[in-house]
Each structure stands twice: as C-alpha cells, then as structure tokens.
C-alpha cells in the first residue's frame, strides 16, 4: 500500500510497519478535519490487518505538527472525530504499538499526538510544548492527563502553566523520549524500532500493550485476574508453541498470529 490522500496524509508500508506522514507543510502540519479523518482511517487499517504489526506517525518537513489548524477552528470546523478525538486517534489509540517520529516542534495538539503514542523517537531538533494557555485555550486532547504520567509532575505542571516548550535534551532526560537521534534521522530510527517490534509474535505484542496501558486503571485486587484474562489465551496460542519450538530448533519463528 502506498497512498496519498487529498488532505495531505501519506500512508505507506515498510516490512509490516505502517508509516503515516502528516504533510501539510504550508500549515506546519496542523490538523484540520480532513487530516483527522485520514489518520483515523489509517489507524483503523493498522488494527484491521494481520500483516501490519506496528505503526509510525511523523510529519513532513521541519515541523512534526503545530497542533490544531487555527484557521479551521476560527471557521467553525470541528477537527475532532466522535469517539476518536483530535487527529482521529488521541481518544482511541490503535491496539497495536504506535511510535511518534519527531523532527522539529511538536506543539499543542501536535504534542498531544506524541503523548497518545506508545514510544517516541526524536531528533535533536525536536521541541515539545503545550502553548494553549497563551491563546486562552486548554490542552483538551489528552495532554493535561497524559503528560504527568510521562514526565515528572513538576515539569509537567510548568509546561502546562507557562506554555513554554522544552527541547529534546530536556525531554530525553525526563524520560519522554525512547531514542534521541541526529537531525533528520527520526523517521528511519522509528521504523527501525517498529521493525524490531514487528519481528515478535503479534498476539504477544498486542496483549503486552493492552496489559501495560490497561493496568494503570486496575486496582491491586483485580490486576492479576485481569492480566490472566489477557495472558492465558496468548499462552495457549499456536504462536506460543511456535516460539518454543523455534527456540528449541535454533531457528527464527514463523508467526501466524493464531
């Protein structure tokens, strides 16, 4: 699949990895309604297809994403989708792992896209911020909830209340970034990371994400019971047997997703 949509979102596949590229460079890759719809369609395709194991979302040019398209906002356009939210996925991220590949600024809704991803690969040019308070708005696409879970509370509070961005070095030191790479290298490094994920058993990868994301809301009394409900079907799967056989026979496993 190699798709270019009218709203300037490109979707391509690289060895079982879906790469979604925001390409509205004239608007600093800001999100309008059509962009949200295109990204939502890509996320649905990622989860639907058994031959895709992970995704990467990135921006074309020197800016990852400047957030909501303010011109669209002033024109009365709703850039969020019912049930899926801003950019077509921040309220309903894909079940499969999603990696943000960040070059340049990821601001406002652009940073909230990053925070809705599971992993972050960023170049030395990356900057992250929630400037909404400077414009009389709030970071309403999950940023105020997700940021304190991803970085120390004091840093999250400062970013939210001042609206000032942090550079890639600060974000890396705070634990937000998985891999920090030279300028221009974020996309390739993210695809490399996604490919390492895609080499693993798809049922196990998906279930691992489900447990790690869901367990934040489980009580201590229920967590092992809920975990077992996800874990046991994977343990009894064909892929679990194949993994053990491949290890025994000293060969690469042949996953079927069953």
């Amino acid at each position: 699949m190699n798709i270019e949509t009218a709203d300037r979102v490109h979707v391509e596949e690289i060895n079982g990895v879906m790469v979604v590229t925001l390409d509205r460079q004239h608007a600093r890759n800001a999100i309008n309604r059509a962009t949200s719809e295109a990204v939502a369609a890509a996320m649905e395709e990622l989860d639907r297809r058994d031959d895709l194991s992970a995704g990467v979302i990135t921006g074309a040019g020197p800016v990852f994403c400047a957030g909501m398209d303010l011109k669209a906002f002033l024109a009365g356009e709703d850039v969020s989708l019912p049930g899926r939210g801003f950019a077509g996925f921040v309220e309903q991220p894909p079940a499969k792992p999603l990696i943000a590949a960040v070059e340049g600024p990821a601001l406002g809704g652009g940073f909230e896209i990053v925070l809705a991803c599971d992993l972050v690969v960023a170049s030395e040019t990356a900057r992250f911020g929630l400037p909404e308070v400077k414009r009389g708005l709030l970071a309403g696409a999950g940023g105020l909830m997700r940021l304190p879970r991803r970085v120390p509370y004091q840093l999250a509070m400062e970013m939210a209340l001042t609206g000032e961005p942090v550079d890639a070095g600060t974000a890396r030191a705070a634990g937000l970034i998985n891999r920090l790479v030279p300028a221009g290298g974020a996309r390739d490094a993210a695809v490399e990371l996604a490919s390492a994920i895609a080499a693993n058993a798809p049922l196990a990868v998906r279930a691992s994400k489900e447990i790690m994301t869901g367990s934040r809301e489980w009580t201590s009394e229920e967590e092992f019971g809920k975990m077992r409900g996800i874990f046991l079907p994977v343990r009894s799967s064909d892929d679990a047997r194949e993994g053990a056989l491949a290890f025994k026979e000293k060969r690469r496993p042949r996953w079927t997703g069953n």
Side-chain angles (χ1 to χ4, degrees), residues 143-205:
L144 297 177
M145 297 177 287
R146 288 185 169 123
L147 184 57
R149 301 173 190 162
R150 302 286 285 273
V151 303
Y153 175 83
Q154 296 299 334
L155 176 60
M157 187 65 78
E158 181 177 338
M159 292 177 69
L161 298 185
T162 67
E164 294 296 327
V166 299
D167 61 22
T170 301
R172 171 69 168 173
L176 178 66
I177 297 173
N178 294 86
R179 297 185 181 179
L180 182 61
V181 299
R187 179 185 180 277
D188 288 347
V191 170
E192 180 183 15
L193 179 57
S195 297
I197 294 170
N200 296 321
L203 289 178
V205 167

Side-chain angles (χ1 to χ4, degrees), residues 121-146:
V121 174
S123 86
E124 295 167 342
T125 67
R127 291 188 296 123
F128 305 90
L130 297 174
E132 282 84 351
V133 291
K134 293 177 177 288
R135 301 177 186 133
L137 297 170
L138 297 177
L144 297 177
M145 297 177 287
R146 288 185 169 123

Side-chain angles (χ1 to χ4, degrees), residues 208-250:
S208 294
K209 173 177 173 175
E210 183 179 359
I211 291 169
M212 292 190 74
T213 56
S215 61
R216 288 194 299 253
E217 300 178 11
W218 300 345
T219 66
S220 59
E221 291 80 13
E222 66 186 3
E223 59 184 3
F224 274 92
K226 286 184 174 291
M227 182 274 292
R228 278 190 288 270
I230 300 167
F231 164 74
L232 291 176
V234 175
R235 190 177 70 173
S236 61
S237 68
D238 292 342
D239 275 355
R241 179 172 174 77
E242 168 62 13
L245 281 172
F247 178 79
K248 178 182 178 181
E249 297 170 1
K250 298 181 179 179

